[in-house]
Amino acid sequence: MNGSQVDPQPLTVAVIGTGPRGLSVLERLAVRLRELPVPRRLRVYAVDAVEVGAGRIWRTDQQDWFTMNTVVGQVTMYSGDPDGGPARPGAGPSLGQWITERARTHGEEPLGPNDYASRLRYGQYLRSFHRTIVENLPEGTELVEVRDRVTALRPRPEGGYELALESGPVPLTADKVVLTTGHPRNEPDRFEREMLDFAADRPGVHYLCGDSAADLDLGPDTVPAGATVGILGMGLSFYDVMVALTLGRGGAFTTLPDGTLRYEPSGAEPRIVAGSRSGLPIPARGRNQKEPHHSHRALFLTTQAVELARKRREAETGSSRLDFDEDVLPLLLQELDHVYWTAHVTARDGKEAGEEFARRHAEALLTGGDSDALLREAGLDALPALDLQRLARPFTGRHFPDPQAFRAELLDVMRQDLAEADLGNSAGPLKAALDVLRDIRNVVREAVDYGGLLPASHQDAFLRRFLPVNALLSAGPPRYRVRQLVALVEAGIVEVVGPAAVFGTDEDEGAFRIESPQVEGSARTARVLVDARIPTPDLARDTSPLMRGLLADGLVSEYVVEDEVHGQRRESGGLAVTRAPFHVLDAAGRPRPDLYALGIPTEHTRWFTQVGSSRPGVRTLFSRDADAVAADLLAPLPQDLLPQESALDAGPLVGAAAGALAAGRTA
């Protein structure tokens, strides 16, 4: 390359964490580099402690029984759809298209667009995506893969940072750093510490703190065949643990003539006793009937409605922060009700009747008309209304005389839910309505992110009351997983103790105790207890040496919301960042223009950051976030922060370190 065409100041960037968020930044960097009118020399360190190009959660050495909960046709990492040319940054296949091509060229198992892939398969897709980025970098750009753990980040006097690595004394240097570190591992809280201490003094007794199921020690040495294992929490991770302890132990499911499943035990399984607040395993996701680019068009909870509510609050109170229960939730429920009732009319009377009902129903809600009268006119008043609390807590206020009575009721609820899921997420009224919870997340984010709610409302109404219900009803597993659970309950392999489950210890038995106060005779003991709840990001409890050091050195800070008008304050536990391009805020509240954070570390400042992909045909927030970071990475720093010496020209020590790392030195 002609030297006169090259920016004389090379740039060095480090991306710490190469799961989906880190890879998305790398892809948008590659796209923007090709669009620059003047080429720029760039070295990028892609750093990951587990697997560069996949990360820990999606690593490619995990078992294939851990499953995604989004159909393959709705998942992509590329920021643009295929355009007839080769796959490259900005234009490439969705997960479903990639799997189809691999089936054709490599004889791998095919999947339809509405099937679910294993997390292992998605990890392989991520690796392919990463290779595509590497192979299509423009001249003058180098990507160095570093499989190592960054233990500290130290500002350099001349600008940028030194990155200390776990495996050796030679640090990396970078002008700019992006933190996409993903799911944390936290210090035990009070309950976890009590369980760990109880197990520590008793041979054969184990407590496993919450984590990705692929990282839990679920082997027979910890969970012996025939032993009773308690599982705390019945969300998505519960199904992962359940499958690892059944299919993973050699069991099998047989499909019966009526379509139900029967479990054939191997004899190597433990007995599973599970419980949660609701007493209900997370319900099934509806059969997908939507194109990948489909998204519900909001009519009530819109950006404009949120802005109007803020102006109204500002005029009334002097603070633009919203009350979730008063300003957001009623509009969200209107969205769900509208889809629910319209789907009922469409299923009964056809598409044209459904469209006419939808028009009149929307008009009634938007103008304050009598929607109840419209429901009566349409003959819908005899149908049960959509009630999120009832769906998420079906056993509230119920008392069961024995475990058998609760088991029968639970199976009935699960079978009813499967029947609703079989109707689909478009034709089925219930699952169509609940699918809206996914589609309107961006508007909810506009209402709640960056302290958009009053601190007390965020803590009580949003975090404590709404989010558990939303998580249970909006992000379920594939239907076949729930059918497998039904079969395991029928076979006596899995028992759900009941609602409001209490987990503790039994000193006399030397075991953990699981019990539901709403089910007589439900108390069970187990010598192994698995916490199947995914840890919530919390800076104060994050065990990462990197995060601890950044916090102690004042380079990052916790996001704190203070509303002086109402005298309210909320310490979020999340990493404080600016709006796009997501510079971290230091202890003094100042943005650091050379340090960025994206994804799960910023949870609580922003909501629902655990999204791990984009959607084909849609310019999603996932892709827009990555592009905002990439654009700023290539922008000049303020003059007083420009490095005086480039990491690329820092002498033989850095060069030798880079060479060793590129050759695959690991911890």
Side-chain angles (χ1 to χ4, degrees), residues 306-322 327 563 565-566:
V306 171
E307 291 174 352
L308 286 173
R310 289 206 188 285
K311 292 177 180 177
R312 185 173 62 249
R313 285 286 173 185
E314 179 78 36
E316 293 173 353
T317 70
S319 170
S320 63
R321 290 194 168 95
L322 304 177
D327 300 319
D563 189 290
V565 172
H566 297 87

Side-chain angles (χ1 to χ4, degrees), residues 321 455 560-564 568-570:
R321 290 194 168 95
V560 177
V561 182
E562 292 196 64
D563 189 290
E564 296 179 358
Q568 297 178 11
R569 172 185 171 92
R570 181 177 68 91

Side-chain angles (χ1 to χ4, degrees), residues 22-249:
L23 292 178
S24 67
V25 172
L26 295 177
E27 190 233 17
R28 291 309 303 170
L29 259 179
V31 172
R32 285 189 167 272
L33 283 166
R34 288 194 170 275
E35 295 173 348
L36 286 178
V38 178
R40 182 163 196 187
R41 288 170 59 202
L42 176 68
R43 168 174 283 169
V44 180
Y45 292 111
V47 189
D48 200 285
V50 177
E51 184 174 2
V52 177
R56 177 169 74 94
I57 301 301
W58 306 104
R59 69 176 194 264
T60 59
D61 64 348
Q62 63 186 294
Q63 299 294 336
D64 63 2
W65 49 66
F66 300 123
T67 309
M68 301 181 73
N69 71 318
T70 303
V71 296
V72 298
Q74 293 183 353
V75 174
T76 189
M77 280 298 300
Y78 289 90
S79 55
D81 292 337
D83 59 2
R88 63 195 185 281
S94 70
L95 173 61
Q97 291 167 331
W98 180 82
I99 288 173
T100 297
E101 180 64 12
R102 294 286 298 184
R104 185 183 69 82
T105 59
H106 291 72
E108 295 177 355
E109 178 187 5
L111 292 175
N114 296 320
D115 290 330
Y116 295 83
S118 67
R119 290 214 291 270
L120 164 61
R121 203 78 182 275
Y122 188 51
Q124 293 168 341
Y125 171 71
L126 293 177
R127 291 278 303 196
S128 172
F129 175 70
H130 174 65
R131 286 193 299 273
T132 301
I133 296 170
V134 173
E135 292 167 0
N136 287 275
L137 290 173
E139 185 179 354
T141 302
E142 179 186 10
L143 194 150
V144 180
E145 297 184 3
V146 183
R147 186 184 171 197
D148 210 333
R149 190 180 308 279
V150 178
T151 57
L153 204 63
R154 304 185 185 97
R156 298 186 300 165
E158 65 271 30
Y161 300 91
E162 282 190 351
L163 284 69
L165 300 175
E166 187 175 64
S167 68
V170 180
L172 300 177
T173 56
D175 300 318
K176 298 184 178 184
V177 176
V178 184
L179 303 173
T180 48
T181 49
H183 286 280
R185 285 189 167 112
N186 293 336
E187 281 187 344
D189 62 17
R190 180 177 177 181
F191 169 81
E192 292 166 334
R193 176 50 57 198
E194 289 177 357
M195 298 301 103
L196 287 168
D197 289 346
F198 179 80
D201 298 331
R202 294 168 173 81
V205 176
H206 303 280
Y207 173 72
L208 306 184
C209 290
D211 202 350
S212 167
D215 289 311
L216 293 174
D217 182 8
L218 299 173
D221 289 343
T222 301
V223 188
T228 298
V229 55
I231 303 181
L232 195 171
M234 293 192 292
L236 290 173
S237 289
F238 160 74
Y239 285 93
D240 289 336
V241 174
M242 174 193 86
V243 169
L245 296 175
T246 52
L247 287 177
R249 296 290 182 93

Side-chain angles (χ1 to χ4, degrees), residues 338 342 353-364 374:
H338 182 65
T342 299
E355 290 174 348
E356 174 62 16
F357 172 84
R359 183 190 65 78
R360 295 179 63 194
H361 189 250
E363 182 180 356
L374 180 59

Side-chain angles (χ1 to χ4, degrees), residues 469-482:
V469 171
N470 179 75
L472 193 70
L473 299 179
S474 69
R479 290 169 293 149
Y480 66 81
R481 277 285 183 256
V482 180

